[in-house]
Amino acid sequence: MTEEKEILAPLEVDDCKNVGTIDASISPRGTLEMLSQWEVDRLRNVSDSSLYELFRRCALAVLNCDDTTDDASEVYARYADFSVEIEQRARGIKLILKNAPSCAFVDGVIMNGVRDHLFAVLRDIVFMSGEPYALADRGLTPQTDANGHAVGEIDYPGRPEANLVFNMLRNAKLLRPRAVPRLVVCWGGHSIDRDEYLYCKSVGYQLGLRGLDICTGCGPGAMKGPMKGATIGHAKQRNRDGRYIGISEPGIIAAESPNPIVNQLVIMPDIEKRLEAFVRVGHGIIVFPGGVGTLEEILFLMGTLMDASNRDIVMPVIFTGGSNSKAYFQQIDAFLVHTLGEDVRRFYQIIEDDPVAVASAMREGMQRVTVNRRKGRDAYYYNWLLKIPAEMKRHFVVSHESMAGLSLSRDLSASDLAINLRRAFSGIVAGNVKDYGIQQIRKHGPFELKGDPEIAQAMDRLLRDFVAQGRMKLDGKAYSPCYKIQS
């Protein structure tokens, strides 16, 4: 076996199952170490407000780092007695954990990566609590209008909400002003088979050899594979500054617990802010096979790039999969063309079963991005000039009423249809893995979607294929759809 095959072999020594719980006290290291008494008081007030449950759930998710379920409701029920208390000390804080998942600990000591994630969660939630923005997706009851839109989220220059993504990323020290473009966002499913996982890892390895950094949704599957491969590529090139960025949000984090390879974790308020963060900080995007969440990401990206305001933006996008995944992107390509039109193909290329070609194409794409940013006088670290349609950024609160009210019609423009299709798939993601979505399905039954016959049939075919390919859930059990599609 060659060295590279050994690196990419299927054995995973770090995958474990929960074997119990543990009590521990955790001090920060590298973040939240030097705090004023006023800042400490503000942190402790989290436990006295409605934000406490949000913090507790996100803390549980990062501690539950090697679980094999993607059912957030199951995770919360299993660790119903988990608690976290913020203890004040003269020079800072300490977290007191009770009944925490033991997989986050080695010989009773928390893993350094998980420690960092725990305090990243605290940092981001406290920062969000100080922003004039309603956290509609945090498990609290949101205020919405008749269309399911969160009230008070109209985005225009001058409002604090308009720069929330930038402010959160800056507060997390994620933005590096002097770094040249080299950050690759990798999207793909958490429920993928072994061959697809190894292919993701092989692509990550080739990216790492070329000095490129990785940003993903930070969970398992196609989010973890590229990071694992890149660590080896970086090590071979003696690159000690490799970045493995994870961007999550409260609604999904328990179903996609951050893997400990992530060395910079950011928790955004909701899925729309998470998607915006990806396209603002990423210099290129690689999409691996996935399920409805991956299609939601693709639709967000295509709906944005197809906006006429972005005709001068350079954003290399590659769809890729291994030899056993060739049919997957043929299906995705056909669906995009059928719904958004032939013009959508201008915004991505498909490279099949060739990690070297993918990495080389992305490296060349980074050079084009660098030239484009210089020409447009845009920042390397944050894509300010990218225009994201206001309705694409507006938070969509998933409910039976809002899902039934989505217009999936040929009468809509391609950009407006992309917005509503993204929302439809976002609702299916919620019904599959997010706690509040699962609870709605249990109480009221499947979401109902209505659309023009051609669109409805195309969605139904694609979703049936996802179910047949096992892309909806991790546990391998028979999948019961959380949706019904009517034409």
Side-chain angles (χ1 to χ4, degrees):
M1 181 180 288
T2 66
E3 181 181 10
E4 182 172 344
K5 287 183 178 178
E6 288 177 354
I7 292 169
L8 304 175
L11 292 177
E12 297 288 341
V13 298
D14 63 344
D15 291 341
C16 67
K17 295 182 179 180
N18 290 301
V19 294
T21 60
I22 193 170
D23 296 344
S25 60
I26 311 296
S27 298
R29 183 163 56 198
T31 181
L32 299 179
E33 287 182 301
M34 294 185 293
L35 299 170
S36 68
Q37 290 299 302
W38 178 85
E39 289 171 317
V40 173
D41 288 341
R42 186 180 175 198
L43 292 177
R44 295 191 74 212
N45 284 338
V46 171
S47 61
D48 298 325
S49 71
S50 58
L51 285 177
Y52 172 72
E53 182 60 17
L54 174 65
F55 173 51
R56 189 189 77 86
R57 288 188 171 202
C58 290
L60 173 60
V62 300
L63 290 164
N64 194 38
C65 57
D66 282 324
D67 201 359
T68 56
T69 182
D70 58 359
D71 188 328
S73 182
E74 177 185 331
V75 173
Y76 297 144
R78 188 192 312 156
Y79 296 103
D81 55 355
F82 166 75
S83 67
V84 53
E85 178 185 346
I86 301 174
E87 181 181 279
Q88 185 172 4
R89 300 188 295 172
R91 64 181 184 278
I93 61 172
K94 179 183 288 187
L95 297 182
I96 309 301
L97 309 178
K98 299 284 183 64
N99 300 307
S102 60
C103 65
F105 298 80
V106 178
D107 296 334
V109 179
I110 193 168
M111 285 187 280
N112 288 333
V114 178
R115 178 205 299 268
D116 292 344
H117 294 172
L118 191 59
F119 283 95
V121 165
L122 181 58
R123 175 202 67 213
D124 292 339
I125 288 177
V126 169
F127 184 82
M128 281 190 278
S129 72
E131 289 287 299
Y133 172 80
L135 289 178
D137 213 12
R138 67 186 182 192
L140 305 179
T141 301
Q143 289 186 319
T144 61
D145 61 20
N147 296 315
H149 300 147
V151 172
E153 280 196 72
I154 300 299
D155 187 22
Y156 60 85
R159 285 186 69 96
E161 299 96 307
N163 290 323
L164 178 62
V165 171
F166 173 80
N167 291 339
M168 291 200 64
L169 296 174
R170 180 177 60 178
N171 183 65
K173 296 181 172 57
L174 192 73
L175 306 178
R176 296 186 179 180
R178 287 172 291 279
V180 298
R182 65 180 189 185
L183 185 61
V184 182
V185 171
C186 295
W187 286 338
H190 67 291
S191 180
I192 59 176
D193 65 30
R194 194 67 191 170
D195 289 338
E196 289 175 339
Y197 175 77
L198 293 177
Y199 182 77
C200 295
K201 191 156 61 167
S202 183
V203 171
Y205 172 67
Q206 295 296 334
L207 293 171
L209 287 176
R210 289 159 177 78
L212 301 179
D213 293 324
I214 308 295
C215 175
T216 77
C218 75
M223 292 169 277
K224 182 179 181 182
M227 289 186 174
K228 296 199 76 169
T231 59
I232 304 301
H234 287 159
K236 283 190 172 184
Q237 297 286 20
R238 300 299 185 266
N239 179 0
R240 296 176 176 83
D241 194 33
R243 303 180 75 192
Y244 315 105
I245 297 170
I247 302 177
S248 190
E249 52 100 356
I252 199 70
I253 193 170
E256 297 177 355
S257 296
N259 69 78
I261 299 172
V262 172
N263 58 15
Q264 287 184 285
L265 176 66
V266 184
I267 311 298
M268 303 305 295
D270 55 46
I271 183 59
E272 288 80 9
K273 300 296 184 292
R274 182 194 194 198
L275 292 172
E276 180 178 353
F278 281 129
V279 300
R280 294 290 189 194
V281 302
H283 302 112
I285 295 177
I286 296 175
V287 184
F288 297 102
V292 286
T294 302
L295 195 54
E296 178 185 6
E297 292 164 338
I298 292 172
L299 288 165
F300 182 94
L301 181 61
M302 294 299 112
T304 296
L305 294 180
M306 292 181 75
D307 190 286
S309 301
N310 294 320
R311 60 181 177 273
D312 295 328
I313 297 293
V314 173
M315 175 70 77
V317 179
I318 299 173
F319 296 170
T320 188
S323 59
N324 63 336
S325 304
K326 290 183 178 180
Y328 176 82
F329 282 114
Q330 293 174 1
Q331 295 168 325
I332 296 297
D333 177 68
F335 177 79
L336 292 176
V337 171
H338 188 79
T339 54
L340 304 183
E342 188 75 29
D343 188 55
V344 73
R345 283 184 170 147
R346 294 195 300 112
F347 301 98
Y348 59 84
Q349 62 176 312
I350 300 175
I351 300 178
E352 297 178 338
D353 197 25
D354 194 338
V356 173
V358 171
S360 297
M362 188 53 66
R363 185 71 187 91
E364 186 275 331
M366 292 295 166
Q367 296 170 355
R368 291 188 288 113
V369 170
T370 301
V371 172
N372 180 255
R373 297 286 178 96
R374 286 176 179 170
K375 182 179 178 181
R377 297 186 180 275
D378 200 4
Y380 287 158
Y381 60 87
Y382 193 84
N383 197 347
W384 287 107
L385 295 184
L386 185 71
K387 172 67 175 178
I388 301 176
E391 283 299 310
M392 191 71 87
K393 295 168 66 174
R394 187 195 290 267
H395 182 55
F396 177 68
V397 180
V398 176
S399 69
H400 284 75
E401 292 75 17
S402 64
M403 290 285 280
L406 287 174
S407 175
L408 304 176
S409 169
R410 286 286 187 193
D411 295 333
L412 297 175
S413 66
S415 59
D416 287 340
L417 181 56
I419 289 168
N420 284 351
L421 285 171
R422 186 208 69 80
R423 288 171 172 168
F425 286 108
S426 187
I428 296 173
V429 172
N432 280 348
V433 300
K434 296 186 179 183
D435 182 56
Y436 70 89
I438 293 171
Q439 299 303 332
Q440 288 189 61
I441 298 300
R442 288 175 178 171
K443 186 175 181 180
H444 302 294
F447 296 128
E448 291 189 2
L449 292 165
K450 300 176 183 178
D452 287 355
E454 290 186 2
I455 296 175
Q457 290 168 13
M459 287 184 65
D460 188 56
R461 283 195 301 270
L462 189 63
L463 289 168
R464 286 178 184 273
D465 287 339
F466 285 173
V467 173
Q469 296 164 13
R471 299 190 183 279
M472 291 297 203
K473 296 285 288 180
L474 272 174
D475 54 22
K477 298 176 183 177
Y479 173 69
S480 179
C482 66
Y483 58 88
K484 292 180 180 178
I485 299 178
Q486 300 177 357
S487 58

